[in-house]
Structure formats: C-alpha cells, structure tokens
Amino acid sequence: MLKSVFIPNQYNSYAWANALCLMLLLCLEAVEAYTVIFAYFLETIVIGAFNIIRMLMASKHDSSGNSIVFLVPFFIFHYGMFVAVQSVFAFALFSFSGQDLIKEPFDLIDNYITILKLEGMAYILPLLIGTQLLKLIFDFILSKKYMDFTASEMMFKPYVRIVIQQFTVLIAMFFIVFSNSAVVAAILLIGIRTVVDLFMAAIRDNERVLNIMVDKLDNGKMPKSKLKKQLLLFSE
C-alpha cells in the first residue's frame, strides 16, 4: 500500500509539486524559514475560502433542504472562531522563541499583516493558493464531485485536514522555541504536511487504499458504504 501512496502520480502531483517548490525556495534562501511556517498557517484561511465555493456548488445539486444562506455564514463563524483560537495559541507560542516578530498574540489583525510582509511570502502564498485552485478545478469541478456531497457535508470537510495541519505547525513552533532552529522546523513541517497530503490523495483516488482504510477503521457500528463516503469527504 505504501508504494501506491508515495510514488508520484497524477493524483498526488499537487502534493509533490508543492513540497518540492517550497524546499527549493528554502534551499535557495529565496524565503525565510519563518515564512514557510506561517504560510502554512495562512493556508488555513485559504482552504476555508475555497470550501465556501465547494459548499455553494454542492448546494445547487443537493436535496438536504438546508438553506445555503444560513450554512455559509454559520461556517464562516465557527471556522473563523476555530482559526482565531488556533492563531492566538500559535502566536503566543512563537513569542516565547525570543523573536520580536509577534508582540501581542491577541492582536490578530496586526499579526497577520506582519506575517503577510515576511520575506518570501509573495512567492509562497500564491503557490499555496494556486495549489488549492488547481485542486478545486481538477479534483472537484471537472470530476463533478459537487454531485456527491451536500452543502452541509462539505461544511465540515476541512476540519480533519486543518486539525492535522495546525497540529503540525504547532510542533514546528515548539521546535523553534526549544532548539532555535527555524530551518529544521520548516523542513519538518513540509515533510509531515506532504506525507499527510499523499495519504489524503491516495484515499481519495486509489480504490485499493480506500478499501484498506475502510477495513482498518470498520468497527461494525457504521455501514462500510457510509464510512467510505466519510473518508472520501474528509480527504477532499
């Protein structure tokens, strides 16, 4: 199974291209290590924005009866609260590293403006946005996956990926605090994130990997068909 997960193919090309580009920029010193770490944090907001588009598209074809007029503002509210809490925690942790980049963890707007001005962010942020745009076009729109999920199902889609991503970012932050090595932390972050993305792509596009995961997670409390749909949803 691992061979089909890690070997580059048309399904995981986004993950490999993203990782290789970031590593190249880092090795060429075109970007700072801190920029890579905070860029992944900013990607949380980007993913949320693209998920709203997915919700809007799914709402035109689902029959759930849920009003998209209610679902979108509700998603923005609870997703925004989630991002805000995680941001405060990450900014507070980073402030312990002795860097003067973050002065007040609760000043979210000022902190995000500071992050956007980091050296190399003009390269990395468009790369991350472009990756999400390509995934939206090729993995969602052209494949017509908006026909497979309802808007209410799509609303909770980002959380598995985001929780893993934020946890990885926080690990990188801890590494900076205790070792004072931002480069190693950035490489660690890129590596873990790439592995997660490769597994997500394999679950989404490799039937054999999907079936193996379903068998491993099956505890008899949920039909396998429903479990499979949940895995497909959260791997999007």
Side-chain angles (χ1 to χ4, degrees):
M1 183 183 77
L2 292 179
K3 182 179 180 181
S4 58
V5 170
F6 291 106
I7 290 181
N9 55 59
Q10 66 183 65
Y11 305 115
N12 60 25
S13 57
Y14 305 126
W16 278 115
N18 189 292
L20 292 175
C21 286
L22 287 176
M23 289 296 294
L24 181 61
L25 289 172
L26 195 61
C27 292
L28 293 176
E29 298 183 351
V31 300
E32 294 182 354
Y34 292 126
T35 307
V36 175
I37 296 170
F38 282 115
Y40 273 126
F41 210 84
L42 284 174
E43 191 187 26
T44 302
I45 300 174
V46 175
I47 290 174
F50 276 99
N51 197 60
I52 292 175
I53 298 175
R54 288 182 171 89
M55 289 175 62
L56 290 170
M57 295 188 66
S59 70
K60 297 179 179 180
H61 303 278
D62 66 44
S63 56
S64 62
N66 292 315
S67 172
I68 194 65
V69 176
F70 166 77
L71 287 177
V72 169
F74 181 70
F75 171 76
I76 293 174
F77 173 75
H78 70 72
Y79 190 80
M81 291 296 294
F82 174 82
V83 172
V85 171
Q86 292 293 314
S87 298
V88 170
F89 187 75
F91 291 147
L93 182 61
F94 185 78
S95 65
F96 294 147
S97 67
Q99 303 290 328
D100 59 357
L101 183 64
I102 303 298
K103 298 180 177 61
E104 172 52 59
F106 287 93
D107 193 351
L108 296 180
I109 295 178
D110 185 61
N111 289 338
Y112 274 113
I113 291 175
T114 300
I115 289 173
L116 288 171
K117 294 179 180 178
L118 286 173
E119 182 181 354
M121 188 62 76
Y123 299 116
I124 296 182
L125 193 56
L127 172 65
L128 297 179
I129 293 174
T131 300
Q132 293 300 321
L133 179 60
L134 290 174
K135 288 175 64 178
L136 174 70
I137 294 172
F138 291 100
D139 289 344
F140 191 76
I141 296 177
L142 295 182
S143 62
K144 296 184 178 180
K145 288 185 178 178
Y146 50 81
M147 304 285 291
D148 299 330
F149 304 105
T150 66
S152 56
E153 288 175 330
M154 294 301 301
M155 182 170 63
F156 297 102
K157 180 196 75 67
Y159 283 97
V160 171
R161 180 184 295 270
I162 290 304
V163 168
I164 295 174
Q165 178 164 312
Q166 296 300 291
F167 180 71
T168 307
V169 171
L170 293 177
I171 290 177
M173 294 287 190
F174 273 111
F175 205 94
I176 292 175
V177 171
F178 293 109
S179 72
N180 199 31
S181 178
V183 174
V184 175
I187 294 174
L188 176 68
L189 176 56
I190 294 171
I192 296 176
R193 164 61 191 272
T194 302
V195 170
V196 171
D197 281 349
L198 291 175
F199 269 103
M200 292 287 191
I203 291 173
R204 185 174 61 246
D205 297 300
N206 190 311
E207 188 71 21
R208 177 172 171 269
V209 175
L210 176 60
N211 290 330
I212 291 174
M213 292 301 298
V214 168
D215 291 337
K216 288 184 177 297
L217 295 174
D218 182 29
N219 57 9
K221 296 181 180 180
M222 181 186 297
K224 285 190 175 183
S225 59
K226 187 175 181 180
L227 181 57
K228 181 179 290 189
K229 184 176 182 180
Q230 290 297 317
L231 284 173
L232 287 173
L233 177 64
F234 290 132
S235 65
E236 281 297 321

